[in-house]
Amino acid sequence: MNNFGGNWTENKIEILVEYAKAYLTIMNKFAVMYNWELLYFDGFAGSGFINKGNRTKKQIIGAAKRILEIDEPRAFDMYYFVEKETEIALQLKENTKSMFPSKNITVVNTDCNEKILSMSAFLKTKKGKKFRALAYIDPCGMQLNWNSLVSLQELNVDVWILVPTGMGVNRLLKRDGRISDAWINRLEIFLGMKKEEILDHFYSKKIVTTLFGDELVTTKEEKAIEKSEELYKKRLKELFKFVSNSYVLKNKSNSVMFHFLMASNNKFAVKVANEIIAKYNKI
Ligand SMILES: C[S@@+](CC[C@H](N)C(=O)[O-])C[C@H]1O[C@@H](n2cnc3c(N)ncnc32)[C@H](O)[C@@H]1O
């Protein structure tokens, strides 16, 4: 069982499930017409159940189980779940196989990035071109590598991504710009950008005259969380034709933790995603 979450966890899953139902409704017709197979890929799958971690110990049903429960108007043809923690992967395997014995489910215990690359390679093969995929990338931190997303460009895949703008990027961007090499390296891999580009985007530099002469002062720009969302979206638009608006996930003190959005090469898909997101942003 995973321990994390709040109302936004539930809303995020509701958004995904609502979108998956709309996706399956639209794809139902085309899959028959063009002989397509529908693949669901979950890169950070969890156990299938989430413990909210508060005093009530309320358990919510994780995205994996919610997606597997969808049968109307149709189910996916294949489900591929990736989970890095061995014990959680085993729980997911047991939960899903016992509850959905007739579905074509694969659970792998490895790193999501490795399997996104495998999925991209597959979707480019002759057999893979007959597949349409819906991917859910739901990390708790900055585990998604930019290169993994690059591999998906131009493919027939709709990708929902939880972007750790507040919980990840903003936390690594220290006020004075003195960021450790390890953190810079993580930012570079996450954003697919070089150190200098990242620092230029998030920091301003100016010469300040002090008692001991001129000093170069580095200052973090205001609204770094919003800036990281804009940047991520701009970068995604270089890979996918369309990127949705974001569902904004805030904690109890109203601080932004994550942005949840979808990228696709299909205009209509993003229109549908935006309608769902707009509804949940008002809640
Ligand atoms: C936010 S939780 C997933 C919740 C789940 N998607 C849901 O909505 O029910 C993130 C999960 O990703 C797993 N994880 C962390 N790093 C990973 C990686 N690099 N590759 C695959 N799984 C990873 C964690 O063990 C954790 O179970």
Side-chain angles (χ1 to χ4, degrees):
M1 197 184 303
N2 299 135
N3 281 289
F4 43 80
N7 278 348
W8 51 262
T9 298
E10 278 145 297
N11 289 347
K12 179 186 64 177
I13 294 175
E14 291 310 322
I15 291 171
L16 175 78
V17 169
E18 211 169 301
Y19 182 79
K21 286 181 179 166
Y23 179 89
L24 289 165
T25 303
I26 298 157
M27 286 300 192
N28 194 24
K29 195 172 80 190
F30 291 113
V32 174
M33 258 161 67
Y34 299 114
N35 212 13
W36 288 344
E37 294 214 46
L38 304 183
L39 166 70
Y40 178 76
F41 177 95
D42 185 341
F44 294 83
S47 65
F49 293 89
I50 296 169
N51 184 346
K52 273 181 82 173
N54 57 19
R55 265 181 285 136
T56 61
K57 290 273 175 254
K58 186 185 162 200
Q59 200 182 81
I60 58 174
I61 300 174
K65 183 165 181 279
R66 292 290 306 281
I67 292 289
L68 281 158
E69 280 171 348
I70 305 174
D71 281 319
E72 290 299 329
R74 59 163 288 159
F76 286 90
D77 296 297
M78 272 181 208
Y79 301 83
Y80 198 94
F81 297 105
V82 189
E83 169 55 54
K84 198 173 180 184
E85 291 293 324
T86 306
E87 192 162 322
I88 300 177
L90 278 172
Q91 282 171 25
L92 178 67
K93 205 176 262 185
E94 277 166 26
N95 287 339
T96 52
K97 295 246 159 108
S98 61
M99 287 179 205
F100 305 97
S102 62
K103 294 203 168 171
N104 185 347
I105 302 168
T106 304
V107 177
V108 289
N109 175 209
T110 187
D111 180 82
C112 168
N113 294 289
E114 183 192 322
K115 289 300 164 189
I116 293 180
L117 297 181
S118 312
M119 173 169 66
S120 311
F122 170 72
L123 291 173
K124 285 172 192 159
T125 62
K126 191 167 175 235
K127 186 174 179 203
K129 287 197 173 115
K130 281 279 172 199
F131 277 75
R132 295 296 176 270
L134 173 59
Y136 178 45
I137 309 293
D138 179 35
C140 13
M142 294 176 62
Q143 295 92 347
L144 177 62
N145 297 346
W146 185 256
N147 269 349
S148 306
L149 292 173
V150 172
S151 77
L152 293 174
Q153 67 182 324
E154 290 171 17
L155 295 176
N156 292 308
V157 52
D158 293 354
V159 197
W160 281 92
I161 311 167
L162 184 71
V163 190
T165 46
M167 287 290 282
V169 179
N170 186 48
R171 287 193 176 177
L172 300 197
L173 297 168
K174 305 270 287 181
R175 287 230 145 261
D176 58 6
R178 287 186 200 174
I179 310 170
S180 72
D181 288 349
W183 285 13
I184 278 288
N185 187 249
R186 190 63 250 159
L187 284 162
E188 286 181 320
I189 294 171
F190 179 76
L191 294 167
M193 291 166 69
K194 295 228 172 336
K195 175 181 177 179
E196 295 69 31
E197 294 172 308
I198 297 170
L199 296 182
D200 274 359
H201 187 81
F202 288 104
Y203 294 88
S204 62
K205 284 186 175 159
K206 66 175 175 199
I207 308 275
V208 177
T209 306
T210 71
L211 194 60
F212 304 123
D214 288 349
E215 273 182 31
L216 185 64
V217 177
T218 303
T219 317
K220 185 173 165 183
E221 298 273 3
E222 294 293 315
K223 299 195 180 293
I225 297 179
E226 289 78 2
K227 273 182 86 87
S228 59
E229 188 228 3
E230 279 163 28
L231 176 66
Y232 207 79
K233 269 173 135 169
K234 183 175 151 281
R235 305 272 297 128
L236 277 174
K237 277 186 189 147
E238 290 161 16
L239 304 180
F240 295 87
K241 290 196 182 106
F242 307 96
V243 176
S244 76
N245 300 325
S246 300
Y247 171 64
V248 187
L249 290 81
K250 294 180 183 168
N251 64 15
K252 288 203 177 92
S253 0
N254 219 27
S255 304
V256 176
M257 301 165 77
F258 297 95
H259 284 85
F260 186 47
L261 47 77
M262 193 190 78
S264 171
N265 289 313
N266 185 304
K267 190 175 179 179
F268 185 68
V270 170
K271 182 176 175 286
V272 172
N274 277 338
E275 283 164 11
I276 299 171
I277 288 164
K279 198 167 76 185
Y280 282 88
N281 270 334
K282 281 190 207 135
I283 292 174

